[in-house]
């Protein structure tokens, strides 16, 4: 088999997926169609329709685009079948029904931003950082009936520095995933469409499984009863998006949402109750369970993101406030 024998349908939606699609196009793979999410309404009145990043790239490069509302829609399924793809590549897309993932002769593989079988789910990058992992990576695997459980084709690891936030890891895995996709395609070609793959159960080592469920607003609320290291990891695991948040309470009981984007561990033990605020020499601290955590970058509701020093310059009597 050669590269020319592959007819590929690519499925993906966000910027993360564009890097892999671009790698396919620039390496002369035959991408016969692209499947992405329907355009979304945006703007104050929700009247403007915004295409996905994948759709923008596909149209710029003359690739046919399919945008099904429902993946089981018979019209879409037949349209997809008409492209006669023998392989499908999925990156950051929704769950596929069997009628779709089982359609191509050589199957459908996914590029997942974690080292499977750990961190199955919708937000693997966030949860790896939130949990304080020092290493993550990308995995290619064949889709099957359950989410992120199919046979593993290949993996690549990626180090997570202690100071790294989700943006850093996202960018790194985006490029690493594109590279691994190309290596996976080479393995498929070399094996005439049937590369070696291993069941995920065979690489389980008895460690507790770490899920990566979708993140919602309530997921992002900071629990100050955690120790400072866990709060530090929680903040960088949600920075810059969607952003960890807490409630700032003033002396009158008024509450305001405060997003926190960057903190710094101090190593200074704390005796005050969790959530206590301390301001020392234009430096902003909040008490976690075991030590003071310095707040470096933040955003008060209705304001722009700023440094803690700029925030303190505009605040009066912050010492009378606390967070919960």
């Amino acid at each position: 088999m050669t590269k020319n024998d592959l007819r590929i349908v690519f499925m993906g939606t966000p910027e993360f997926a564009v890097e892999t699609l671009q790698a396919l196009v620039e390496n002369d793979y035959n991408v016969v169609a692209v499947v992405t999410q329907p355009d979304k309404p945006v703007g104050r009145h929700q009247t403007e329709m915004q295409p996905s990043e994948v759709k923008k790239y596909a149209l710029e490069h003359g690739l046919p685009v399919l945008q099904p509302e429902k993946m089981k829609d018979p019209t879409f399924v037949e349209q997809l079948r008409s492209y006669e793809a023998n392989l499908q590549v999925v990156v950051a897309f929704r769950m596929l029904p069997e009628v779709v993932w089982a359609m191509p002769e050589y199957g459908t593989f996914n590029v997942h931003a974690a080292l499977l079988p750990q961190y199955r789910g919708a937000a693997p990058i966030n949860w790896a950082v939130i949990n304080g992992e020092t290493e993550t990576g990308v995995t290619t695997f064949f889709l099957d009936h359950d989410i992120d459980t199919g046979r593993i084709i290949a993996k690549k690891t990626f180090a997570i520095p202690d100071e790294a936030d989700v943006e850093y890891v996202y960018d790194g895995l985006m490029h690493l995933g594109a590279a691994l996709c190309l290596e996976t395609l080479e393995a498929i070609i070399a094996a005439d469409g049937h590369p070696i793959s291993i069941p995920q159960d065979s690489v389980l080592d008895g460690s507790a499984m770490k899920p990566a469920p979708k993140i919602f607003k309530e997921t992002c609320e900071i629990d100050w009863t955690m120790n400072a290291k866990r709060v530090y990891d929680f903040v960088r695991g949600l920075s810059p998006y969607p952003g960890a948040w807490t409630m700032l309470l003033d002396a009158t009981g008024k509450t305001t949402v405060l997003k926190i984007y960057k903190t710094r561990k101090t190593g200074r033990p704390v005796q005050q109750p969790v959530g206590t605020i301390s301001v020392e020499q234009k430096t902003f601290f909040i008490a976690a369970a075991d030590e003071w955590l310095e707040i470096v970058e933040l955003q008060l509701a209705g304001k722009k993101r700023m440094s803690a020093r700029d925030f303190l310059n505009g605040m009066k009597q912050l010492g009378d406030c606390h967070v919960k």
Side-chain angles (χ1 to χ4, degrees):
M1 177 186 288
T2 69
K3 180 186 296 187
N4 294 332
D5 294 316
L6 290 179
R7 290 178 58 82
I8 298 171
V9 165
F10 181 86
M11 300 185 183
T13 295
E15 176 195 25
F16 189 91
V18 174
E19 188 74 18
T20 301
L21 177 57
Q22 179 177 335
L24 296 180
V25 172
E26 293 182 352
N27 283 274
D28 298 322
Y29 280 96
N30 184 19
V31 179
V32 296
V34 170
V35 182
T36 190
Q37 295 277 38
D39 295 359
K40 290 186 176 181
V42 294
R44 182 176 179 182
H45 301 292
Q46 299 284 286
T47 54
E48 182 182 347
M49 300 302 290
Q50 179 173 291
S52 72
E53 293 302 314
V54 162
K55 179 180 178 180
K56 291 177 186 176
Y57 181 89
L59 293 179
E60 287 170 1
H61 291 80
L63 301 174
V65 175
L66 308 179
Q67 296 179 273
E69 291 283 350
K70 297 180 179 179
M71 299 301 290
K72 291 184 180 180
D73 180 350
T75 301
F76 162 69
V77 172
E78 288 309 308
Q79 190 176 14
L80 182 64
R81 198 184 307 278
S82 71
Y83 286 98
E84 300 180 338
N86 52 19
L87 180 69
Q88 291 175 157
V89 177
V90 180
V91 184
F93 198 52
R94 56 178 134 166
M95 186 175 179
L96 303 181
E98 183 174 1
V99 68
V100 172
W101 59 256
M103 187 183 296
E105 177 185 1
Y106 303 130
T108 300
F109 76 81
N110 181 274
V111 180
H112 186 72
L115 298 174
L116 292 173
Q118 296 292 0
Y119 295 105
R120 294 168 175 164
I125 304 176
N126 298 93
W127 286 108
V129 181
I130 288 171
N131 289 338
E133 302 287 0
T134 58
E135 183 181 77
T136 185
V138 288
T139 304
T140 52
F141 69 97
F142 285 115
L143 295 191
D144 64 12
H145 293 92
D146 298 313
I147 297 177
D148 300 337
T149 60
R151 295 176 66 90
I152 292 173
I153 309 167
K155 291 184 181 183
K156 278 184 176 291
T157 59
F158 182 83
I160 306 177
D162 184 64
E163 70 278 5
D165 61 15
V166 158
E167 186 171 43
Y168 172 90
V169 182
Y170 179 100
D171 287 345
L173 295 186
M174 180 172 66
H175 292 92
L176 194 65
L180 186 62
C181 178
L182 294 179
E183 290 184 15
T184 300
L185 289 171
E186 290 169 3
I188 289 172
I189 292 167
D192 288 329
H194 304 286
I196 294 172
S197 61
I198 59 174
Q200 292 191 31
D201 288 347
S202 70
V203 295
L204 291 172
D205 59 5
S207 301
M209 294 297 290
K210 300 174 183 178
K214 187 174 181 179
I215 289 175
F216 299 94
K217 180 181 178 181
E218 55 269 25
T219 312
C220 302
E221 183 175 10
I222 299 170
D223 178 2
W224 294 100
T225 66
M226 298 191 298
N227 63 46
K229 174 64 166 63
R230 289 191 63 195
V231 176
Y232 170 82
D233 291 337
F234 186 81
V235 169
R236 66 194 184 98
L238 296 167
S239 179
Y241 182 82
W245 61 274
T246 190
M247 295 301 298
L248 180 67
L249 286 78
D250 66 18
T252 68
K254 180 183 176 182
T255 61
T256 309
V257 173
L258 181 70
K259 279 194 173 184
I260 299 178
Y261 293 99
K262 187 175 182 180
T263 65
R264 185 177 293 123
K265 294 170 286 184
T266 66
R268 293 171 47 202
V270 62
Q271 283 78 43
Q272 285 83 348
V274 296
T276 299
I277 289 175
S278 175
V279 178
E280 305 170 24
Q281 299 180 340
K282 293 293 183 179
T283 306
F284 183 9
F285 302 95
I286 298 179
D290 57 343
E291 66 182 63
W292 290 102
L293 198 65
E294 181 184 347
I295 310 304
V296 180
E297 291 183 21
L298 48 76
Q299 182 179 13
L300 197 63
K303 305 292 183 180
K304 65 179 182 179
R305 178 175 172 175
M306 64 184 72
S307 69
R309 181 174 291 271
D310 288 342
F311 171 75
L312 293 175
N313 287 336
M315 289 290 290
K316 296 179 180 179
Q317 297 180 328
L318 188 60
D320 296 329
C321 302
H322 66 280
V323 296
K324 68 168 187 175

